[in-house]
């Protein structure tokens, strides 16, 4: 009997065992399901958080892009203004350079005219000095030669008048110094005769 009871108990135990195993398996799969749900929930939250971060980064990038484009526009405007100012400065410089060149050319022409005028003045002075040297040479030469051959007072007076007509300062060839020398010689000869 023992064996029969035992068999019967074993037969009753198998379904219980199956139920336990099934209950245990259901319990395990329910735990796994809960764990899976929990994991899915946490992953969903993490993905949503990452989406928000990504959206914030995208918005930040778009703002930076708009700001960068505005800065580029401003820089391009500044560069354009600088280039235009540079062109104006170059044109102004060119005009100044042309004025300076024409000024230097005019100065060169004026210098050449001045040099020419100065050279003419030098020549005129040289001629004048030569004439004065000639006149002074006449005045320093023996004026007695002019009175050579005069033997009496009447001839002396006639020669004196003729010499005054020739060397009077109002004449073209006249010279005051020569006239003074003639006067001295005339007075000397007059006393002698």
């Amino acid at each position: 009997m023992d064996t029969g009871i035992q068999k019967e108990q074993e037969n009753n135990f198998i379904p219980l065992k199956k139920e336990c195993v099934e209950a245990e398996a259901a319990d395990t799969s329910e735990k796994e399901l809960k764990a899976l749900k929990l994991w899915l929930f946490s992953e969903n939250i993490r993905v949503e958080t990452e989406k928000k971060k990504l959206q914030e980064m995208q918005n930040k990038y778009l703002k930076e892009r708009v700001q960068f484009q505005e800065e580029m526009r401003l820089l391009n405007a500044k560069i354009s203004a600088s280039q235009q100012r540079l062109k104006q400065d170059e044109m102004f410089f060119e005009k100044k350079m042309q004025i300076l060149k024409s000024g230097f050319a005019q100065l060169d022409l004026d210098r050449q005219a001045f040099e020419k005028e100065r050279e003419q003045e030098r020549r005129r002075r040289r001629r004048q000095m030569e004439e004065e040297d000639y006149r002074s040479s006449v005045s320093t030469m023996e004026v007695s030669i002019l009175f050579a051959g005069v033997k009496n007072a009447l001839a002396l007076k006639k020669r004196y008048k003729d010499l005054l007509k020739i060397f009077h300062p109002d004449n073209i060839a006249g010279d005051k110094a020569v006239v003074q020398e003639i006067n001295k010689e005339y007075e000397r000869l007059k006393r002698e005769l």
Side-chain angles (χ1 to χ4, degrees):
M1 258 218 294
D2 262 343
T3 50
I5 292 178
Q6 230 178 358
K7 271 192 181 184
E8 197 177 306
Q9 282 177 350
E10 280 181 23
N11 284 339
N12 284 340
F13 183 69
I14 291 175
L16 278 177
K17 205 176 185 185
K18 272 186 181 179
E19 283 177 21
C20 267
V21 170
E22 283 177 9
E24 206 177 288
D27 196 29
T28 306
S29 70
E30 202 172 297
K31 283 181 185 177
E32 285 177 2
L33 189 60
K34 280 185 182 178
L36 246 165
K37 282 183 180 179
L38 185 63
W39 179 81
L40 269 172
F41 180 72
S42 63
E43 275 301 303
N44 196 16
I45 290 175
R46 188 185 67 76
V47 166
E48 286 298 319
T49 307
E50 290 295 319
K51 274 185 182 179
K52 285 181 184 177
K53 285 182 183 177
L54 186 63
Q55 186 65 36
E56 287 174 2
M57 287 176 67
Q58 189 176 12
N59 289 341
K60 185 179 175 183
Y61 167 74
L62 287 174
K63 285 179 184 177
E64 287 178 356
R65 183 176 176 191
V66 168
Q67 185 180 3
F68 175 74
Q69 287 174 343
E70 182 63 23
E71 287 175 1
M72 286 299 292
R73 188 186 64 75
L74 289 173
L75 285 174
N76 284 337
K78 284 182 181 179
I79 288 172
S80 176
S82 295
Q83 287 175 341
Q84 190 170 3
R85 192 178 73 241
L86 182 64
K87 284 181 183 177
Q88 289 174 347
D89 288 348
E90 285 176 355
M91 288 172 51
F92 182 68
F93 177 76
E94 286 298 320
K95 286 180 183 177
K96 275 184 159 181
M97 187 59 78
Q98 289 299 324
I99 290 169
L100 284 174
K101 284 180 181 178
S102 65
F104 280 125
Q106 185 62 41
L107 279 175
D108 191 43
L109 290 174
D110 290 346
R111 183 189 56 79
Q112 289 174 359
F114 176 74
E115 288 292 326
K116 189 176 181 181
E117 192 176 305
R118 196 164 109 190
E119 185 61 32
Q120 288 174 348
E121 182 64 24
R122 283 182 190 159
R123 288 180 189 157
R124 188 185 62 76
R125 284 187 181 173
R126 191 175 304 130
R127 276 191 306 242
Q128 189 178 15
M129 288 175 66
E130 287 172 357
E131 286 176 6
E132 286 177 8
D133 286 346
Y134 172 74
R135 288 178 188 158
S136 66
S137 69
V138 170
S139 67
T140 56
M141 74 175 184
E142 288 292 325
V143 180
S144 60
I145 295 174
L146 296 175
F147 289 98
V150 175
K151 304 253 186 234
N152 61 29
L154 190 61
L156 179 67
K157 194 172 185 181
K158 184 171 180 347
R159 180 71 57 92
Y160 173 70
K161 286 182 180 183
D162 289 341
L163 289 173
L164 282 181
K165 287 179 185 176
I166 295 171
F167 291 107
H168 193 275
D170 291 340
N171 291 337
I172 293 174
D175 187 12
K176 187 176 180 180
V178 174
V179 170
Q180 288 174 348
E181 291 294 321
I182 291 172
N183 284 335
K184 286 179 190 176
E185 185 65 23
Y186 174 71
E187 292 297 323
R188 187 184 67 79
L189 289 174
K190 195 163 87 170
R191 277 188 306 259
E192 286 180 10
L193 294 177

